[in-house]
Amino acid sequence: MLDQRIKFRHLTCFLEVARQRSVVKAADTLSITQPAVSKTIRELEEHLDARLFDRSKRGVTLTDFGKVFLRYAGASVTALRQGVDSISQVRMQGGLSINLGVLPTVAASVMPNAIRRFKSLSPDTTVKVVAGPNVMLMGQLRVGELDLVVGRLAEPDQMSGLSFIHLYSEHISLVARPGHPLLTDENPDITRIREFTVLVPPKHAIIHPTVDKMLIAHGIGALPDRIETVSTSFGRAFTRETDAIWIISNGAVASDIAEGHLVELPIDTSDTFGPVGLTTRIDSPISPPVEMLINAVREEAALHHATHSGLNT
């Protein structure tokens, strides 16, 4: 039987601590004091008669009980928020809303046309697009702040309670401005990128391990002049105005390459292909508008893949 002592504040506090892995950060986000967060978590653990977090000097981590409770707490808060939103939407006579997370690389390729396709079918639905690193998006998806995420397949330890639908695969590209010194050679030596500033994904980026493996496989050690960034707008502007080399998912620069603003170095990166798709929560039912958006993304991804496959043959 449901313990009536468990309140909404217990769930939101638990979810924020789980997401932030820190009582201090959770307190800042919730705009309450650290002792209040600790007290709320302690009350919840007493009501459940189970320890939900392991505490250490480096922060807090979920126990096995906490991991189980996270699935259902996230789904409960999501369902309640959807119920509140539905009442607000009826009062405003407006449409529904969808919270969509996208990796910056996908946001630049598939998503503009996919959302345009969806809006033509459901113009009253508000789509809230959140772009950011994969770890952040998966954390928000897990606690119900996002309805789905479009991006690369996450690491196995991040996929517990989540479902992935494959859309297509994309490779890592090395791009530079037209007229770059390396383009004078039909078969440039990839190790020569050490002579230039190189833009690379930071450690929290999902493609970072793939880029590292590629560089190691080609005998490239630490890059002496590097800039770490996930900003596609910065990467695009900096690369077009300097002799920098930008290592990035092909989807982020496909249009720039097609329009001649950037040029892909003729270097074999076929071993860097990775799956791109849709990630949703297993424990949360998919609403009709979200299902419509998923279909629009799948259709646009299929068209995008077919178009670029044709260009690459």
Side-chain angles (χ1 to χ4, degrees):
M1 186 174 179
L2 179 64
D3 192 326
Q4 301 297 322
R5 295 174 297 174
I6 297 178
K7 308 297 183 183
F8 183 69
R9 63 182 176 84
H10 290 117
L11 299 182
T12 55
C13 190
F14 166 77
L15 291 172
E16 196 59 38
V17 173
R19 186 170 77 89
Q20 299 280 3
R21 298 183 180 181
S22 166
V23 171
V24 175
K25 292 180 180 178
D28 289 340
T29 301
L30 296 170
S31 298
I32 59 178
T33 64
Q34 181 181 344
V37 171
S38 298
K39 180 182 177 182
T40 302
I41 294 300
R42 188 165 57 251
E43 288 176 354
L44 180 60
E45 290 178 325
E46 290 173 356
H47 297 338
L48 295 173
D49 193 23
R51 192 176 77 258
L52 301 176
F53 294 101
D54 284 325
R55 286 93 168 162
S56 68
K57 292 182 179 178
R58 292 182 294 180
V60 296
T61 56
L62 287 167
T63 64
D64 289 340
F65 286 119
K67 292 175 182 178
V68 171
F69 189 67
L70 177 64
R71 284 186 58 187
Y72 298 101
S76 299
V77 171
T78 298
L80 183 56
R81 283 175 175 159
Q82 289 173 344
V84 173
D85 287 345
S86 67
I87 297 298
S88 300
Q89 289 157 5
V90 169
R91 285 177 173 171
M92 293 187 299
Q93 296 184 344
L96 301 173
S97 65
I98 297 174
N99 297 316
L100 169 67
V102 294
L103 285 180
T105 54
V106 181
S109 55
V110 173
M111 293 314 300
N113 287 335
I115 292 179
R116 183 168 64 234
R117 183 190 294 262
F118 169 75
K119 292 292 286 183
S120 69
L121 301 173
S122 183
D124 291 336
T125 301
T126 300
V127 181
K128 301 176 183 177
V129 180
V130 179
N134 205 64
V135 173
M136 181 194 82
L137 296 178
M138 290 301 170
Q140 293 181 342
L141 175 65
R142 196 178 299 280
V143 300
E145 294 178 4
L146 296 174
D147 295 303
L148 72 157
V149 171
V150 185
R152 281 211 172 200
L153 175 63
E155 294 298 321
D157 62 346
Q158 296 181 35
M159 288 301 295
S160 176
L162 302 177
S163 174
F164 181 81
I165 303 173
H166 181 266
L167 295 174
Y168 60 92
S169 294
E170 68 174 5
H171 66 282
I172 304 298
S173 291
L174 284 78
V175 297
R177 64 168 179 81
H180 191 280
L182 284 183
L183 294 173
T184 59
D185 188 347
E186 292 184 1
N187 296 297
D189 180 1
I190 188 175
T191 61
R192 287 195 60 200
I193 68 173
R194 290 172 52 84
E195 302 171 16
F196 305 92
T197 301
V198 183
L199 277 64
V200 294
K203 288 186 177 181
H204 68 259
I206 193 168
I207 64 171
H208 175 83
T210 304
V211 172
D212 260 7
K213 289 178 184 177
M214 178 191 71
L215 295 176
I216 292 171
H218 285 89
I220 301 174
L223 295 166
D225 184 2
R226 59 190 284 157
I227 297 175
E228 296 186 357
T229 181
V230 293
S231 171
T232 53
S233 57
F234 170 78
R236 182 174 293 109
F238 191 84
T239 305
R240 289 173 62 174
E241 297 172 5
T242 69
D243 282 341
I245 304 295
W246 188 14
I247 304 178
I248 188 67
S249 292
N250 181 261
V253 291
S255 61
D256 298 277
I257 294 171
E259 294 167 4
H261 300 307
L262 294 174
V263 180
E264 184 170 11
L265 298 181
I267 294 171
D268 182 16
T269 59
S270 57
D271 58 347
T272 65
F273 272 91
V276 175
L278 296 148
T279 304
T280 58
R281 292 187 305 279
I282 294 174
D283 57 17
S284 182
I286 296 176
S287 67
V290 172
E291 186 68 39
M292 288 175 61
L293 178 57
I294 288 175
N295 291 336
V297 174
R298 296 179 77 165
E299 291 170 7
E300 186 57 38
L303 180 61
H304 173 83
H305 178 66
T307 300
H308 285 78
S309 294
L311 290 175
N312 293 332
T313 55

